[in-house]
Amino acid sequence: MRWMILYALLLMGVMECHAGEDLGNKVFLFPKQSSTAHVILKPEAKTSLGKLTVCLRSYTELTRNYSLFSLAMSGENQHNAFLILVRPPNVCSVYVDQIHNSIKTDPEALDWKHTCVTWDSDTGIIQLWINGKLYPRRVSKKGFAIKPEISIILGQEQDSFGGGFDLNQCFVGEIGDVHMWDYVLTPNDIQKVVTNDQTGNVINWRSLHFEIKGSVLIQPKLQCKYPGYASSLYSQC
Ligand SMILES: *[C@@H]1O[C@H](CO)[C@@H](O)[C@H](O)[C@H]1NC(C)=O
């Protein structure tokens, strides 16, 4: 009998390790400017990435540069392996392997914003989608691949693997619905992500493995407005 209980406990432990947390109706709140507060996201599996899609929703009143999603590779000078850096009022910089591509966007509004970025090493093509709208595509780092040893951080911009944060590039505000795929989503799938009908296979907000460092709160998502919906009114969610 005792071994059965032990076995059950062991099984529960294993399951707990593998099941992430469902943050479906939650957001991360980064309440103030800081060079320490951040969230470490842990990918589902360690594989090298030659293609990817990252999507997330954000809400901020920042008017300076800020990091939305920072992915560093281990090793010297590989901290901008994949970085989404917003430069208000109307530029979004996508870095692939340290090279930055500045894409002009519509001006920032004080509202929830949904951002997706895809990159495909076969062609080097970068797609930037904001609120379901595609901006002119760029080509960067054809043939490059992100190595499996990566560090993904929300709230701060990495200038070294897992660190080197800069107070003036930190995120302040709310972030939610963070998903990542190891392939390029179709335009149709991007629209599904905007309305929360698609989840990531590398990072999945509905089953998230993460670690909070410093002052970051998990709070209920109080209001939603999904672009692309017939009704663009604010609603409770
Ligand atoms: C914002 O980011 C861009 C791109 O990295 C950089 O060239 C610029 O100097 C930054 N602006 C400030 C004020 O730091």
Side-chain angles (χ1 to χ4, degrees), residues 92-172:
C92 182
S93 281
V94 177
Y95 286 71
V96 181
D97 190 23
Q98 307 299 120
I99 302 296
H100 105 262
N101 302 271
S102 290
I103 302 171
K104 204 166 168 188
T105 64
D106 290 312
E108 297 260 293
L110 188 53
D111 208 338
W112 278 101
K113 176 175 76 171
H114 189 270
T115 304
C116 286
V117 178
T118 78
W119 170 71
D120 185 339
S121 71
D122 289 348
T123 55
I125 285 177
I126 295 172
Q127 297 176 25
L128 169 66
W129 296 78
I130 297 177
N131 294 335
K133 170 179 171 177
L134 175 64
Y135 288 89
R137 285 170 283 180
R138 297 299 174 82
V139 171
S140 189
K141 299 306 293 188
K142 183 177 165 179
F144 172 71
I146 293 169
K147 291 193 214 105
E149 208 60 48
I150 54 173
S151 158
I152 302 177
I153 285 180
L154 299 178
Q156 299 286 344
E157 199 270 306
Q158 303 176 77
D159 275 335
S160 65
F161 189 71
F165 303 145
D166 173 1
L167 185 71
N168 294 312
Q169 292 189 313
C170 78
F171 179 83
V172 182

Coordinates of all heavy atoms in Angstrom, one line a residue, residues 92-172:
C92 N 9.0 50.3 -34.4 CA 9.2 49.1 -33.7 C 10.5 48.4 -34.3 O 10.6 48.2 -35.5 CB 8.0 48.1 -33.9 SG 8.2 46.6 -33.0
S93 N 11.5 48.2 -33.4 CA 12.7 47.6 -33.8 C 12.7 46.1 -33.5 O 12.5 45.7 -32.4 CB 13.9 48.2 -33.1 OG 14.2 49.4 -33.7
V94 N 13.0 45.3 -34.6 CA 13.1 43.9 -34.4 C 14.5 43.5 -34.6 O 15.1 43.8 -35.7 CB 12.2 43.1 -35.4 CG1 12.3 41.6 -35.2 CG2 10.7 43.5 -35.2
Y95 N 15.1 42.9 -33.6 CA 16.5 42.5 -33.7 C 16.5 41.0 -34.0 O 15.9 40.2 -33.3 CB 17.3 42.7 -32.4 CG 17.6 44.1 -32.1 CD1 16.6 45.0 -31.7 CD2 18.9 44.5 -32.1 CE1 17.0 46.3 -31.4 CE2 19.3 45.9 -31.8 CZ 18.3 46.7 -31.4 OH 18.6 48.0 -31.1
V96 N 17.4 40.6 -34.9 CA 17.7 39.2 -35.1 C 19.2 39.0 -35.1 O 19.8 39.7 -35.9 CB 17.1 38.6 -36.4 CG1 17.4 37.1 -36.5 CG2 15.6 38.8 -36.5
D97 N 19.8 38.2 -34.3 CA 21.2 38.1 -34.2 C 21.9 39.4 -34.2 O 22.8 39.7 -35.0 CB 21.7 37.2 -35.3 CG 23.1 36.8 -35.2 OD1 23.6 36.8 -34.0 OD2 23.8 36.4 -36.2
Q98 N 21.5 40.3 -33.3 CA 22.2 41.6 -33.0 C 21.9 42.7 -34.1 O 22.2 43.8 -33.9 CB 23.7 41.5 -32.9 CG 24.2 40.4 -31.9 CD 23.8 40.7 -30.5 OE1 23.1 39.9 -29.8 NE2 24.1 41.9 -29.9
I99 N 21.3 42.3 -35.2 CA 21.0 43.2 -36.3 C 19.6 43.8 -36.1 O 18.7 43.1 -35.9 CB 21.1 42.6 -37.7 CG1 22.5 41.9 -37.9 CG2 20.8 43.6 -38.8 CD1 23.7 42.9 -37.9
H100 N 19.6 45.1 -36.1 CA 18.2 45.7 -35.8 C 17.6 46.3 -37.1 O 18.2 46.8 -38.0 CB 18.3 46.7 -34.6 CG 18.2 48.1 -34.9 ND1 19.3 48.9 -35.0 CD2 17.2 48.9 -35.1 CE1 19.0 50.1 -35.2 NE2 17.7 50.2 -35.3
N101 N 16.3 46.0 -37.2 CA 15.4 46.3 -38.3 C 14.3 47.3 -37.7 O 13.5 46.8 -37.0 CB 14.8 45.1 -38.9 CG 15.8 44.1 -39.4 OD1 16.3 44.1 -40.5 ND2 16.2 43.2 -38.4
S102 N 14.4 48.5 -38.1 CA 13.4 49.5 -37.6 C 12.3 49.6 -38.6 O 12.4 49.9 -39.8 CB 14.1 50.9 -37.5 OG 15.0 50.9 -36.5
I103 N 11.1 49.3 -38.1 CA 9.9 49.2 -38.9 C 9.0 50.4 -38.4 O 8.7 50.5 -37.2 CB 9.2 47.9 -38.8 CG1 10.2 46.8 -39.2 CG2 7.9 47.8 -39.7 CD1 9.8 45.4 -39.0
K104 N 8.6 51.2 -39.4 CA 7.7 52.3 -39.0 C 6.3 51.8 -38.9 O 5.8 51.0 -39.6 CB 7.8 53.3 -40.2 CG 7.4 54.7 -39.7 CD 7.8 55.8 -40.7 CE 7.1 57.1 -40.4 NZ 7.3 58.1 -41.4
T105 N 5.6 52.2 -37.8 CA 4.3 51.8 -37.5 C 3.3 53.0 -37.4 O 3.8 54.1 -37.4 CB 4.3 51.0 -36.2 OG1 4.6 51.9 -35.1 CG2 5.2 49.8 -36.2
D106 N 2.1 52.6 -37.2 CA 1.2 53.7 -36.9 C 1.5 54.2 -35.4 O 2.1 53.4 -34.7 CB -0.3 53.2 -36.9 CG -0.7 52.9 -38.3 OD1 -0.5 53.8 -39.2 OD2 -1.2 51.8 -38.6
P107 N 1.2 55.5 -35.1 CA 1.6 56.0 -33.8 C 0.9 55.1 -32.7 O -0.2 54.6 -32.9 CB 1.0 57.4 -33.8 CG 0.8 57.8 -35.2 CD 0.5 56.5 -35.9
E108 N 1.6 55.1 -31.6 CA 1.1 54.3 -30.4 C -0.2 55.0 -29.9 O -0.3 56.3 -29.9 CB 2.1 54.4 -29.3 CG 3.4 53.8 -29.6 CD 3.5 52.4 -28.9 OE1 3.6 52.3 -27.7 OE2 3.6 51.4 -29.7
A109 N -1.1 54.2 -29.4 CA -2.3 54.8 -28.8 C -2.3 54.3 -27.3 O -1.7 53.3 -27.0 CB -3.6 54.3 -29.5
L110 N -2.9 55.1 -26.5 CA -3.0 54.6 -25.1 C -4.1 53.6 -25.0 O -5.2 53.9 -24.7 CB -3.2 55.8 -24.2 CG -3.1 55.5 -22.7 CD1 -1.8 54.9 -22.3 CD2 -3.3 56.8 -21.9
D111 N -3.7 52.3 -25.3 CA -4.7 51.3 -25.4 C -4.0 49.9 -25.4 O -2.8 49.9 -25.6 CB -5.5 51.4 -26.7 CG -6.9 50.9 -26.6 OD1 -7.1 50.0 -25.7 OD2 -7.7 51.3 -27.5
W112 N -4.7 48.9 -25.2 CA -4.1 47.6 -25.4 C -3.6 47.4 -26.8 O -4.3 47.9 -27.8 CB -5.1 46.4 -25.1 CG -5.2 46.2 -23.6 CD1 -6.2 46.6 -22.8 CD2 -4.3 45.4 -22.8 NE1 -6.0 46.2 -21.5 CE2 -4.9 45.4 -21.5 CE3 -3.1 44.7 -23.1 CZ2 -4.2 44.8 -20.5 CZ3 -2.5 44.1 -22.0 CH2 -3.1 44.1 -20.7
K113 N -2.5 46.8 -27.0 CA -1.9 46.6 -28.3 C -1.5 45.2 -28.5 O -0.8 44.6 -27.6 CB -0.7 47.6 -28.5 CG 0.1 47.4 -29.8 CD 1.2 48.4 -29.9 CE 2.4 48.1 -29.0 NZ 3.6 48.9 -29.3
H114 N -1.8 44.6 -29.6 CA -1.4 43.2 -29.9 C -0.3 43.2 -30.9 O -0.5 43.7 -32.0 CB -2.6 42.4 -30.3 CG -2.3 40.9 -30.4 ND1 -1.8 40.3 -31.5 CD2 -2.4 40.0 -29.4 CE1 -1.6 39.0 -31.2 NE2 -1.9 38.8 -30.0
T115 N 0.8 42.6 -30.5 CA 1.9 42.5 -31.4 C 2.3 41.1 -31.8 O 2.4 40.3 -30.8 CB 3.2 43.2 -30.7 OG1 2.8 44.5 -30.4 CG2 4.4 43.3 -31.7
C116 N 2.6 40.8 -33.0 CA 3.2 39.5 -33.4 C 4.3 39.8 -34.3 O 4.3 40.7 -35.2 CB 2.2 38.7 -34.3 SG 0.9 37.9 -33.3
V117 N 5.4 39.0 -34.1 CA 6.6 39.1 -35.0 C 6.9 37.7 -35.4 O 7.0 36.8 -34.6 CB 7.8 39.8 -34.3 CG1 9.0 39.8 -35.2 CG2 7.5 41.2 -33.8
T118 N 7.1 37.5 -36.8 CA 7.6 36.2 -37.2 C 8.9 36.4 -37.9 O 9.3 37.5 -38.4 CB 6.6 35.6 -38.3 OG1 6.8 36.3 -39.5 CG2 5.2 35.8 -37.9
W119 N 9.7 35.4 -37.9 CA 11.0 35.4 -38.6 C 11.3 34.0 -39.2 O 11.0 33.0 -38.5 CB 12.2 35.8 -37.7 CG 13.5 35.7 -38.3 CD1 14.0 36.4 -39.4 CD2 14.5 34.7 -38.0 NE1 15.3 35.9 -39.7 CE2 15.6 34.9 -38.9 CE3 14.5 33.7 -37.0 CZ2 16.7 34.1 -38.8 CZ3 15.7 32.9 -37.0 CH2 16.7 33.0 -37.9
D120 N 11.8 33.9 -40.4 CA 12.0 32.7 -41.1 C 13.4 32.7 -41.7 O 13.7 33.4 -42.6 CB 10.9 32.5 -42.2 CG 11.0 31.2 -42.9 OD1 12.1 30.5 -42.8 OD2 10.0 30.8 -43.5
S121 N 14.3 31.8 -41.2 CA 15.7 31.8 -41.6 C 15.8 31.4 -43.1 O 16.8 31.7 -43.7 CB 16.6 31.0 -40.7 OG 16.3 29.6 -40.9
D122 N 14.8 30.6 -43.6 CA 14.9 30.2 -45.0 C 15.0 31.4 -46.0 O 15.7 31.3 -47.0 CB 13.7 29.3 -45.4 CG 13.7 28.0 -44.7 OD1 14.8 27.6 -44.2 OD2 12.7 27.3 -44.7
T123 N 14.2 32.4 -45.6 CA 14.1 33.6 -46.5 C 14.7 34.8 -45.8 O 15.0 35.8 -46.4 CB 12.7 33.9 -46.8 OG1 12.0 34.0 -45.6 CG2 12.1 32.8 -47.7
G124 N 14.8 34.8 -44.4 CA 15.2 35.9 -43.6 C 14.0 36.9 -43.4 O 14.2 37.9 -42.8
I125 N 12.8 36.5 -43.9 CA 11.7 37.5 -43.8 C 11.2 37.7 -42.4 O 11.0 36.7 -41.6 CB 10.6 37.0 -44.8 CG1 11.0 37.4 -46.2 CG2 9.3 37.7 -44.4 CD1 10.0 36.9 -47.3
I126 N 11.1 38.9 -42.0 CA 10.5 39.4 -40.8 C 9.1 39.9 -41.1 O 9.0 40.8 -41.9 CB 11.3 40.4 -40.1 CG1 12.7 39.9 -39.7 CG2 10.6 41.0 -38.9 CD1 13.6 41.0 -39.2
Q127 N 8.1 39.5 -40.3 CA 6.8 40.1 -40.4 C 6.5 40.7 -39.1 O 6.6 40.1 -38.0 CB 5.7 39.1 -40.7 CG 5.8 38.3 -42.0 CD 4.7 37.2 -42.1 OE1 3.7 37.3 -41.5 NE2 5.0 36.2 -42.9
L128 N 6.0 42.0 -39.1 CA 5.5 42.6 -37.9 C 4.0 42.9 -38.1 O 3.6 43.5 -39.0 CB 6.2 44.0 -37.7 CG 5.6 44.9 -36.6 CD1 5.7 44.3 -35.2 CD2 6.3 46.3 -36.7
W129 N 3.2 42.4 -37.1 CA 1.8 42.6 -37.1 C 1.4 43.3 -35.9 O 1.8 42.9 -34.8 CB 1.1 41.2 -37.1 CG 1.3 40.3 -38.3 CD1 2.3 39.6 -38.6 CD2 0.3 40.1 -39.3 NE1 2.1 38.8 -39.7 CE2 0.9 39.1 -40.2 CE3 -1.0 40.5 -39.6 CZ2 0.2 38.6 -41.4 CZ3 -1.6 40.1 -40.7 CH2 -1.0 39.1 -41.6
I130 N 0.7 44.4 -36.0 CA 0.2 45.1 -34.8 C -1.3 45.2 -34.9 O -1.8 45.7 -36.0 CB 0.8 46.5 -34.6 CG1 2.4 46.3 -34.3 CG2 0.2 47.2 -33.4 CD1 3.1 47.6 -34.2
N131 N -2.0 44.7 -34.0 CA -3.5 44.7 -34.0 C -4.0 44.1 -35.3 O -5.0 44.6 -35.9 CB -4.1 46.1 -33.8 CG -3.7 46.6 -32.4 OD1 -3.5 45.8 -31.4 ND2 -3.7 47.9 -32.2
G132 N -3.4 43.0 -35.7 CA -3.8 42.3 -36.9 C -3.5 43.0 -38.2 O -3.9 42.5 -39.3
K133 N -2.7 44.0 -38.2 CA -2.2 44.7 -39.4 C -0.8 44.4 -39.7 O 0.1 44.6 -38.8 CB -2.5 46.2 -39.3 CG -1.8 47.0 -40.4 CD -2.1 48.5 -40.2 CE -1.3 49.3 -41.2 NZ -1.6 50.8 -41.1
L134 N -0.5 44.0 -40.9 CA 0.9 43.7 -41.3 C 1.6 44.9 -41.9 O 1.0 45.6 -42.7 CB 0.9 42.6 -42.4 CG 2.2 42.2 -43.0 CD1 3.2 41.6 -42.0 CD2 2.0 41.2 -44.2
Y135 N 2.8 45.2 -41.3 CA 3.6 46.3 -41.8 C 4.6 45.7 -42.9 O 4.7 44.5 -43.0 CB 4.3 46.9 -40.7 CG 3.4 47.7 -39.8 CD1 2.7 47.1 -38.8 CD2 3.0 49.0 -40.2 CE1 1.7 47.8 -38.1 CE2 2.1 49.7 -39.5 CZ 1.4 49.1 -38.4 OH 0.5 49.8 -37.7
P136 N 5.1 46.6 -43.7 CA 6.0 46.2 -44.8 C 7.1 45.2 -44.3 O 7.8 45.5 -43.3 CB 6.6 47.5 -45.3 CG 5.6 48.5 -45.0 CD 5.0 48.1 -43.7
R137 N 7.3 44.1 -45.0 CA 8.2 43.1 -44.5 C 9.6 43.4 -44.7 O 10.0 44.3 -45.6 CB 7.9 41.7 -45.3 CG 6.6 41.1 -44.7 CD 6.2 39.9 -45.6 NE 5.6 40.4 -46.8 CZ 5.1 39.6 -47.8 NH1 5.2 38.3 -47.7 NH2 4.5 40.1 -48.8
R138 N 10.5 42.9 -43.9 CA 11.9 43.1 -44.0 C 12.6 41.7 -44.2 O 12.0 40.7 -43.9 CB 12.5 43.7 -42.7 CG 11.9 45.1 -42.5 CD 12.3 46.0 -43.6 NE 11.7 47.3 -43.4 CZ 12.1 48.2 -42.6 NH1 13.2 48.1 -41.9 NH2 11.5 49.4 -42.5
V139 N 13.9 41.8 -44.6 CA 14.7 40.6 -44.7 C 15.9 40.7 -43.8 O 16.6 41.7 -44.0 CB 15.0 40.3 -46.2 CG1 16.0 39.1 -46.2 CG2 13.8 39.9 -47.0
S140 N 16.2 39.8 -43.0 CA 17.3 39.9 -42.1 C 17.8 38.5 -41.7 O 17.0 37.6 -41.4 CB 17.0 40.7 -40.9 OG 18.1 41.0 -40.1
K141 N 19.1 38.3 -41.7 CA 19.8 37.1 -41.1 C 19.3 35.8 -41.7 O 19.0 34.8 -41.0 CB 19.6 37.1 -39.6 CG 20.3 38.3 -38.9 CD 21.7 38.5 -39.2 CE 22.6 37.3 -38.8 NZ 24.0 37.7 -38.9
K142 N 19.2 35.8 -43.0 CA 18.9 34.5 -43.7 C 19.9 33.5 -43.4 O 21.1 33.8 -43.3 CB 18.8 34.8 -45.2 CG 18.5 33.6 -46.1 CD 18.4 34.0 -47.6 CE 18.4 32.7 -48.4 NZ 18.3 33.0 -49.8
G143 N 19.5 32.3 -43.0 CA 20.4 31.2 -42.7 C 20.9 31.1 -41.3 O 21.4 30.1 -40.9
F144 N 20.5 32.1 -40.5 CA 20.9 32.1 -39.1 C 19.9 31.1 -38.3 O 18.8 30.9 -38.7 CB 20.8 33.5 -38.5 CG 20.9 33.6 -37.0 CD1 22.1 33.4 -36.4 CD2 19.8 33.9 -36.2 CE1 22.3 33.5 -35.0 CE2 19.9 34.0 -34.8 CZ 21.2 33.8 -34.2
A145 N 20.4 30.6 -37.2 CA 19.5 29.8 -36.3 C 19.8 30.1 -34.9 O 21.0 30.3 -34.5 CB 19.7 28.3 -36.6
I146 N 18.7 30.2 -34.1 CA 18.9 30.5 -32.7 C 19.2 29.2 -32.0 O 18.5 28.2 -32.1 CB 17.6 31.1 -32.1 CG1 17.4 32.5 -32.7 CG2 17.7 31.2 -30.6 CD1 16.1 33.2 -32.4
K147 N 20.4 29.2 -31.3 CA 20.8 27.9 -30.6 C 19.9 27.6 -29.4 O 19.2 28.5 -28.9 CB 22.2 28.1 -30.1 CG 23.2 28.2 -31.3 CD 24.7 28.0 -30.7 CE 25.6 28.8 -31.5 NZ 26.1 30.0 -30.8
P148 N 19.9 26.3 -29.0 CA 18.9 25.9 -28.0 C 19.1 26.6 -26.6 O 18.1 26.7 -25.9 CB 19.2 24.4 -27.8 CG 19.9 24.0 -29.1 CD 20.6 25.2 -29.5
E149 N 20.3 27.0 -26.3 CA 20.5 27.6 -24.9 C 20.1 29.1 -24.9 O 20.9 30.0 -25.3 CB 22.0 27.5 -24.6 CG 22.3 27.4 -23.1 CD 21.6 26.2 -22.4 OE1 21.7 25.1 -23.0 OE2 21.0 26.4 -21.4
I150 N 18.8 29.3 -24.5 CA 18.3 30.7 -24.6 C 17.7 31.2 -23.3 O 17.4 30.4 -22.4 CB 17.2 30.9 -25.7 CG1 16.1 29.8 -25.5 CG2 17.8 30.7 -27.1 CD1 14.9 30.0 -26.4
S151 N 17.7 32.5 -23.2 CA 17.1 33.1 -22.0 C 16.0 34.1 -22.5 O 16.3 35.0 -23.2 CB 18.2 33.8 -21.2 OG 17.6 34.8 -20.4
I152 N 14.7 33.9 -22.1 CA 13.7 34.7 -22.5 C 13.1 35.5 -21.4 O 12.8 35.0 -20.3 CB 12.5 33.9 -23.1 CG1 13.0 33.1 -24.3 CG2 11.4 34.8 -23.6 CD1 11.9 32.2 -24.9
I153 N 13.1 36.9 -21.5 CA 12.7 37.7 -20.4 C 11.7 38.8 -20.8 O 11.9 39.4 -21.9 CB 14.0 38.4 -19.8 CG1 14.7 37.3 -19.0 CG2 13.7 39.6 -19.0 CD1 16.0 37.7 -18.3
L154 N 10.7 39.0 -20.0 CA 9.7 40.1 -20.2 C 10.1 41.1 -19.1 O 10.4 40.8 -18.0 CB 8.3 39.6 -19.9 CG 7.7 38.5 -20.8 CD1 6.3 38.1 -20.3 CD2 7.7 38.9 -22.2
G155 N 9.9 42.4 -19.5 CA 10.0 43.5 -18.5 C 11.4 44.2 -18.6 O 11.5 45.3 -18.1
Q156 N 12.4 43.5 -19.1 CA 13.7 44.1 -19.2 C 14.4 43.7 -20.5 O 14.0 42.7 -21.1 CB 14.7 43.6 -18.0 CG 14.2 43.9 -16.6 CD 14.4 45.4 -16.2 OE1 15.1 46.1 -16.9 NE2 13.6 45.8 -15.2
E157 N 15.4 44.5 -20.9 CA 16.1 44.2 -22.1 C 17.5 43.6 -21.6 O 18.2 44.2 -20.9 CB 16.3 45.5 -22.9 CG 16.7 45.2 -24.3 CD 18.2 45.2 -24.6 OE1 18.8 46.1 -24.2 OE2 18.6 44.2 -25.2
Q158 N 17.8 42.4 -22.2 CA 19.1 41.8 -21.7 C 20.3 42.4 -22.5 O 20.2 42.4 -23.7 CB 19.0 40.3 -22.0 CG 17.8 39.6 -21.3 CD 17.7 38.1 -21.6 OE1 18.5 37.3 -21.1 NE2 16.8 37.8 -22.5
D159 N 21.3 42.8 -21.8 CA 22.5 43.1 -22.4 C 23.6 42.1 -22.1 O 24.8 42.3 -22.5 CB 23.0 44.5 -22.0 CG 22.3 45.6 -22.9 OD1 21.9 45.3 -24.0 OD2 22.1 46.7 -22.4
S160 N 23.2 41.0 -21.5 CA 24.0 39.8 -21.3 C 23.0 38.7 -21.1 O 21.8 39.0 -20.9 CB 25.0 40.0 -20.1 OG 24.3 40.1 -18.9
F161 N 23.5 37.5 -21.1 CA 22.6 36.3 -21.0 C 21.9 36.4 -19.6 O 22.6 36.1 -18.6 CB 23.4 35.0 -21.2 CG 22.6 33.8 -21.3 CD1 21.8 33.5 -22.4 CD2 22.6 32.9 -20.2 CE1 21.1 32.4 -22.5 CE2 21.8 31.7 -20.3 CZ 21.1 31.5 -21.5
G162 N 20.6 36.7 -19.6 CA 19.9 36.7 -18.3 C 20.1 37.9 -17.5 O 19.6 38.0 -16.3
G163 N 20.8 38.9 -18.0 CA 21.0 40.1 -17.1 C 21.4 41.3 -18.0 O 21.0 41.5 -19.1
G164 N 22.2 42.2 -17.3 CA 22.6 43.4 -18.0 C 21.5 44.4 -18.3 O 21.4 44.9 -19.4
F165 N 20.6 44.5 -17.3 CA 19.4 45.3 -17.6 C 19.6 46.8 -17.5 O 20.5 47.3 -16.8 CB 18.3 44.9 -16.5 CG 17.9 43.5 -16.5 CD1 17.6 42.9 -15.3 CD2 18.0 42.7 -17.7 CE1 17.3 41.5 -15.3 CE2 17.6 41.4 -17.6 CZ 17.3 40.8 -16.4
D166 N 18.8 47.5 -18.3 CA 19.0 49.0 -18.4 C 17.6 49.6 -18.0 O 16.6 49.4 -18.6 CB 19.3 49.4 -19.8 CG 19.3 50.9 -20.1 OD1 19.1 51.6 -19.1 OD2 19.6 51.3 -21.2
L167 N 17.7 50.4 -16.9 CA 16.5 51.1 -16.3 C 15.7 51.8 -17.4 O 14.5 51.8 -17.4 CB 17.0 52.1 -15.3 CG 16.0 52.8 -14.5 CD1 15.3 51.9 -13.5 CD2 16.6 54.0 -13.7
N168 N 16.4 52.3 -18.4 CA 15.8 53.2 -19.4 C 15.2 52.4 -20.5 O 14.7 52.9 -21.5 CB 16.7 54.2 -19.9 CG 17.1 55.2 -18.9 OD1 16.2 55.7 -18.2 ND2 18.4 55.4 -18.6
Q169 N 15.2 51.0 -20.5 CA 14.6 50.2 -21.5 C 13.6 49.2 -20.9 O 13.1 48.4 -21.6 CB 15.7 49.5 -22.3 CG 16.5 50.4 -23.1 CD 17.4 49.7 -24.1 OE1 18.1 48.7 -23.7 NE2 17.4 50.1 -25.3
C170 N 13.4 49.4 -19.6 CA 12.5 48.4 -18.9 C 11.0 48.7 -19.3 O 10.7 49.8 -19.8 CB 12.6 48.5 -17.4 SG 11.8 49.9 -16.7
F171 N 10.2 47.7 -19.2 CA 8.8 47.9 -19.5 C 8.0 48.2 -18.2 O 8.2 47.7 -17.1 CB 8.2 46.5 -20.0 CG 6.7 46.6 -20.4 CD1 6.3 47.1 -21.6 CD2 5.8 46.2 -19.5 CE1 5.0 47.3 -21.9 CE2 4.4 46.3 -19.8 CZ 4.0 46.8 -21.0
V172 N 7.1 49.2 -18.3 CA 6.2 49.5 -17.2 C 4.8 49.5 -17.8 O 4.5 50.1 -18.8 CB 6.4 51.0 -16.7 CG1 5.5 51.3 -15.5 CG2 7.9 51.1 -16.3

